[in-house]
Amino acid sequence: MKVYQTSEIRNVALVGSARSGKTILGEALLFMGGVVTRRGTIEDKNTISDYKEIELERQSSVYASPLFTEYNNHKINIIDCPGVDDFVGDVVSSLHVSDTALLVLNSQNGVEVGSELAWRQTNKANMPVVLLANQLDHEKANFDELLKEANQMLSSKISIIQYPVNPGIGFDSVIDVMKMKMLKFSADGKYQELEIPANEKDKAEDLQGKLIEAAAESDEALMEKFFEDGTLTEEEIFRGLKAGLISRGIFPLFCISAKQNFGTARLLEVLISSVPSPEQSKLLKLSDGKDIAYNATGNPQLIVFKTSIEQHLGEVSYFKVTNGTITESLDMVNFDTDSKERLSQLFAISGKTRVKVEKLLPGDIGATIKLRDTKTGNTLNGGKAGTEKVEGIVYPESRHRAALRAKNTSDDEKLGGLLRQIHTEDPSLTFENSVELKQIIVSGQGELHLNIAKWIIEKINKIDVEYYSPKIPYRETITKQSKAMYRHKKQSGGAGQFGEVHMLIQPYTPEMKPQTEFAIRGTEEHILPWGGKLIYNNCVVGGAIDARFMPAILKGIMEKIEEGPLTGSYARDIVVNIYDGKMHDVDSNELAFKLAGRQAFREAFKTAGPKILEPICDVEVMVPEERMGDVMTDLQGRRAIIMGMEGEGVYQRIKARVPLAEMNRYSTSLSALTSGRGNYGMKIAEYQQVPSDVQDVLLKAYEAQEAQED
């Protein structure tokens, strides 16, 4: 394979709704470049991308598949992205290293849910977008309705480059207003240029005028040329189109039929002439916000944007070269872990097809295998002084969580390894073996996302597992001060145990004043791992408790704080004052005072106005305007406090604060309420006291659980 210069490289991501035709378009583009000699189909399960077992069974993309094709002395790297929002993690990482998004629209269904969601991701990435009206050969294709919806739901800056002459059964021709020709397509992907029919001439001239104006507005020199001559050449339109794409002032629309391979040759020409190369897009930055140099003679640097575990190969790391020249056997240093890595082999990748290459230049996308300590998002540098990090990939917050367990406890250790492997391939799916909740908590983007992980564990790795309701990480605290004492006394033959502890506890707040009833001789402040503080004051006078027993009392208190007296949840924000006690010359020891401290704290806690705190989430819901009432009603039924609303196109963004306990399976409910068009994000913001009726329910449930365990 030829070594391509940065100016000869284009990096595009295929995004859009599931079944919009992205994977089949990828097949056609690879066929046009001679990478494949036969185009695969979804039905025959022989496409270059969508080759993993779960994708073959579902007949849709679950993972992003890096591909490439070669055309007119250029290399076009293509990443075929999943169209379901549950797999948005791979979309985010793919857009991170792409320079243009190709948004594939289904001409028979209009702007679908997946199309809207993909559009939002391109907005977040602030990247150029080319719109592709696909499936124009379908009997229900409706180009005019698709265009109307796209202008309403996506952008008013859409510029029609092509429109179909004969959409529906028999589709094979478009009017190209850039060339001002009618293009008649053939099955080999090529096209014949014909004169525009007389009945289409006025429409074509009107659309060309709008395109020329949009192109001229993107470049000052072109604007002057336009004012002088009243028009632009095709080459100048290409130049203005590229500037408009980069500034997101133009979103060009092309017509294709990926299944028939119609329009692909013209699309490749436009990708080469009009979409930005990596150094022109300037989308990817260094972590300090500086532009990437893309200098072939600079210090070698790359960012890993995807990791896949392949049979017979192990981990395959996909990367984008951001500086220098990457060669086989190159030694590099992981900026994030400071570990050394050797790139033993280099590949250009098209799905499951790997082509060995000797070197890759800046802007190019490739892969290597068997890196020891490098994961998705890591930067590798050539090891010279002054090396830097490429900005990392920011995945969306998890929206759906469930507890997971193996049906056979003997599989627990193996299950942990499989979850780590799944997370390696999809960092947006996370898991935690929660010591607090005594559950494995799996978190992802939706119910389908978690079910795919379950499928992999059960079907590929033959371990039976089940999801069940996750516990809520409640916290316990107090609202008033209280005193208690406890005497631990035990005598059984030889040396006994004796320790007596008197304590005063009170709620901690940053603005509180220390208690004045007892003189404080010493203070320890402990920031608790689960949030909040414990203030431990030694107020003992006259040697009632020897100083050597004070750490043991603290240890006993900490044990009870880790298993709160109300529901077994962590306690927080408490001040403990040890002000008196008794010892025995022979029988007092650390164990006795630890147990006395533990029990005294337990008794004091119960009479100090104990309260349960629950995690409160900041939630943002994007909802179609016509569904806002239903969504608001549902949120209020979840004890939500609406913080505000703001319009965003045909959507409303609702900001609310909702208890985590009320968000279980919300992704499924929101999808049902909005026909799949709603979308949301959430993250834990703070802890607040639960209402008294909710606390009563929780206390009764905990008492019943303890009785059952006894």
Side-chain angles (χ1 to χ4, degrees):
M1 175 186 278
K2 172 189 168 180
V3 176
Y4 288 91
Q5 303 297 313
T6 304
S7 60
E8 299 170 330
I9 295 168
R10 303 290 183 270
N11 297 314
V12 300
L14 297 179
V15 298
S17 182
R19 308 190 190 285
S20 59
K22 303 184 299 297
T23 296
I24 297 306
L25 175 58
E27 293 286 315
L29 295 174
L30 268 61
F31 176 78
M32 292 304 299
V35 175
V36 297
T37 56
R38 182 175 179 273
R39 292 181 290 131
T41 67
I42 301 295
E43 295 75 18
D44 292 337
K45 300 183 178 182
N46 60 352
T47 54
I48 295 295
S49 57
D50 288 8
Y51 62 90
K52 293 203 170 184
E53 190 173 341
I54 180 63
E55 296 174 310
L56 296 175
E57 178 170 306
R58 287 176 47 81
Q59 295 196 352
S60 66
S61 302
V62 172
Y63 303 99
S65 292
L67 315 167
F68 76 89
T69 192
E70 299 172 282
Y71 198 79
N72 288 353
N73 206 35
H74 284 72
K75 182 185 180 189
I76 296 111
N77 292 308
I78 305 159
I79 308 179
D80 178 18
C81 298
V84 177
D85 194 41
D86 284 56
F87 313 128
V88 68
D90 260 17
V91 178
V92 169
S93 58
S94 300
L95 293 180
H96 194 70
V97 296
S98 299
D99 302 300
T100 303
L102 305 184
L103 178 57
V104 184
L105 302 171
N106 186 330
S107 296
Q108 54 179 315
N109 295 336
V111 178
E112 299 173 276
V113 174
S115 306
E116 291 183 84
L117 297 175
W119 177 260
R120 287 183 210 158
Q121 292 300 328
T122 65
N123 285 343
K124 290 178 183 178
N126 195 35
M127 71 189 314
V129 181
V130 174
L131 306 179
L132 304 177
N134 190 25
Q135 302 185 28
L136 285 164
D137 57 318
H138 195 278
E139 61 182 352
K140 294 182 179 179
N142 190 330
F143 178 79
D144 292 336
E145 186 63 25
L146 173 68
L147 180 61
K148 178 183 175 182
E149 289 185 8
N151 277 307
Q152 290 176 342
M153 302 168 72
L154 304 182
S155 174
S156 60
K157 299 177 182 178
I158 296 173
S159 292
I160 299 174
I161 310 297
Q162 298 172 343
Y163 68 90
V165 175
N166 56 341
I169 302 298
F171 164 74
D172 66 352
S173 301
V174 300
I175 303 298
D176 190 309
V177 301
M178 189 178 293
K179 284 181 171 290
M180 283 304 286
K181 295 287 184 181
M182 184 173 81
L183 308 185
K184 188 176 181 64
F185 302 122
S186 54
D188 60 2
K190 298 178 181 178
Y191 60 87
Q192 180 184 1
E193 293 186 13
L194 303 173
E195 293 303 316
I196 296 175
N199 63 334
E200 297 289 345
K201 198 78 173 176
D202 290 345
K203 180 178 179 180
E205 288 177 350
D206 179 58
L207 289 174
Q208 187 192 45
K210 292 178 180 177
L211 173 62
I212 289 173
E213 286 184 24
E217 288 173 359
S218 302
D219 185 287
E220 288 188 13
L222 292 178
M223 180 65 80
E224 292 180 8
K225 176 78 163 47
F226 175 67
F227 282 143
E228 289 176 4
D229 300 345
T231 189
L232 297 175
T233 65
E234 183 179 350
E235 182 181 344
E236 289 167 338
I237 294 174
F238 274 134
R239 204 172 89 207
L241 188 60
K242 180 181 290 187
L245 273 168
I246 293 172
S247 67
R248 288 175 58 85
I250 298 177
F251 300 107
L253 173 64
F254 292 83
C255 296
I256 62 170
S257 168
K259 186 176 182 179
Q260 303 295 336
N261 197 19
F262 291 166
T264 48
R266 178 60 172 158
L267 176 59
L268 285 167
E269 292 171 2
V270 172
L271 294 181
I272 290 169
S273 62
S274 295
V275 306
S277 61
E279 81 276 17
Q280 291 172 327
S281 75
K282 300 186 185 301
L283 281 177
L284 192 59
K285 305 281 186 182
L286 295 173
S287 58
D288 60 4
K290 294 179 182 176
D291 287 337
I292 288 172
Y294 292 109
N295 178 6
T297 61
N299 184 39
Q301 183 188 65
L302 60 85
I303 178 173
V304 175
F305 68 92
K306 176 178 173 60
T307 304
S308 179
I309 298 174
E310 305 287 345
Q311 193 175 13
H312 309 307
L313 276 180
E315 284 192 13
V316 179
S317 300
Y318 299 86
F319 60 83
K320 181 177 185 178
V321 184
T322 51
N323 206 34
T325 300
I326 304 298
T327 58
E328 271 196 355
S329 302
L330 179 66
D331 289 323
M332 304 190 79
V333 176
N334 187 318
F335 184 96
D336 301 270
T337 64
D338 204 33
S339 59
K340 294 181 179 179
E341 299 281 15
R342 170 163 288 193
L343 308 184
S344 58
Q345 298 181 66
L346 294 180
F347 301 98
I349 299 286
S350 272
K352 57 187 174 183
T353 303
R354 288 168 282 276
V355 179
K356 283 198 70 173
V357 294
E358 292 183 2
K359 62 181 178 180
L360 296 167
L361 298 187
D364 211 345
I365 286 175
T368 189
I369 59 173
K370 298 179 180 177
L371 296 180
R372 296 179 306 165
D373 191 28
T374 295
K375 302 301 179 186
T376 299
N378 288 174
T379 296
L380 299 186
N381 289 303
K384 295 180 182 177
T387 55
E388 297 175 284
K389 177 174 172 58
V390 180
E391 66 178 347
I393 303 168
V394 180
Y395 292 99
E397 296 283 343
S398 297
R399 300 176 298 199
H400 187 83
R401 59 195 290 271
L404 177 69
R405 62 189 168 206
K407 292 182 179 179
N408 188 336
T409 55
S410 64
D411 291 326
D412 286 349
E413 186 174 343
K414 189 175 181 182
L415 175 60
L418 291 175
L419 288 171
R420 283 189 288 274
Q421 180 175 304
I422 292 169
H423 173 70
T424 294
E425 290 197 276
D426 181 3
S428 68
L429 190 142
T430 62
F431 74 97
E432 175 194 6
N433 197 342
S434 175
V435 175
E436 174 187 1
L437 304 179
K438 300 179 178 63
Q439 292 177 322
I440 297 175
I441 304 297
V442 182
S443 303
Q445 298 304 309
E447 197 166 356
L448 175 60
H449 197 194
L450 269 61
N451 284 339
I452 293 295
K454 184 175 185 286
W455 187 96
I456 292 169
I457 293 167
E458 292 188 328
K459 302 297 184 182
I460 304 297
N461 298 282
K462 311 303 180 186
I463 295 178
D464 289 331
V465 296
E466 61 182 350
Y467 285 123
Y468 59 107
S469 296
K471 296 177 183 177
I472 302 299
Y474 292 108
R475 299 288 181 263
E476 299 179 12
T477 193
I478 56 175
T479 59
K480 63 182 182 180
Q481 71 178 34
S482 175
K483 290 181 181 179
M485 64 80 65
Y486 189 85
R487 176 182 295 172
H488 176 75
K489 184 176 181 181
K490 185 177 181 182
Q491 191 72 39
S492 57
Q497 294 180 9
F498 182 89
E500 183 177 312
V501 173
H502 297 240
M503 70 173 62
L504 165 70
I505 67 173
Q506 57 189 138
Y508 166 81
T509 59
E511 63 277 4
M512 68 171 292
K513 296 180 180 179
Q515 56 84 20
T516 58
E517 184 176 351
F518 306 104
I520 298 174
R521 299 177 59 201
T523 297
E524 295 180 28
E525 181 176 302
H526 297 271
I527 297 175
L528 302 172
W530 49 86
K533 289 184 179 181
L534 168 70
I535 308 297
Y536 184 60
N537 292 330
N538 180 357
C539 306
V540 178
V541 295
I545 301 176
D546 196 291
R548 62 193 173 96
F549 293 131
M550 295 302 292
I553 297 172
L554 174 61
K555 187 174 181 182
I557 293 168
M558 289 297 292
E559 284 183 0
K560 200 56 191 171
I561 279 182
E562 290 185 23
E563 187 183 343
L566 297 182
T567 62
S569 305
Y570 292 141
R572 57 178 282 175
D573 296 329
I574 300 169
V575 180
V576 177
N577 301 276
I578 307 299
Y579 65 87
D580 201 359
K582 290 182 181 179
M583 299 183 299
H584 188 278
D585 292 341
V586 176
D587 294 341
S588 288
N589 54 37
E590 290 185 354
L591 177 60
F593 275 99
K594 184 185 84 167
L595 295 174
R598 175 187 172 96
Q599 290 303 109
F601 178 79
R602 180 175 180 271
E603 295 301 321
F605 193 97
K606 288 184 175 181
T607 57
K611 283 289 183 181
I612 299 172
L613 307 176
E614 63 179 341
I616 304 296
C617 298
D618 279 335
V619 178
E620 285 194 5
V621 187
M622 288 289 288
V623 57
E625 287 181 346
E626 65 273 16
R627 298 288 187 176
M628 191 169 68
D630 295 336
V631 173
M632 292 274 284
T633 300
D634 180 71
L635 283 171
Q636 288 164 352
R638 296 172 183 271
R639 296 194 282 129
I641 297 175
I642 306 301
M643 307 299 291
M645 292 172 286
E646 56 187 40
E648 190 169 313
V650 297
Y651 278 76
Q652 287 288 327
R653 184 188 300 274
I654 303 172
K655 296 182 179 181
R657 286 207 152 185
V658 192
L660 177 62
E662 303 291 345
M663 293 299 291
N664 189 33
R665 302 194 68 186
Y666 182 65
S667 59
T668 305
S669 298
L670 181 64
S671 180
L673 287 170
T674 62
S675 301
R677 294 177 65 197
N679 187 257
Y680 78 104
M682 71 175 192
K683 60 182 178 181
I684 293 178
E686 63 176 353
Y687 275 80
Q688 293 181 0
Q689 290 185 17
V690 301
S692 57
D693 58 331
V694 175
Q695 178 158 320
D696 291 341
V697 171
L698 293 172
L699 291 175
K700 289 176 182 177
Y702 186 67
E703 289 171 3
Q705 177 186 325
E706 284 195 314
Q708 187 176 4
E709 290 176 354
D710 291 343

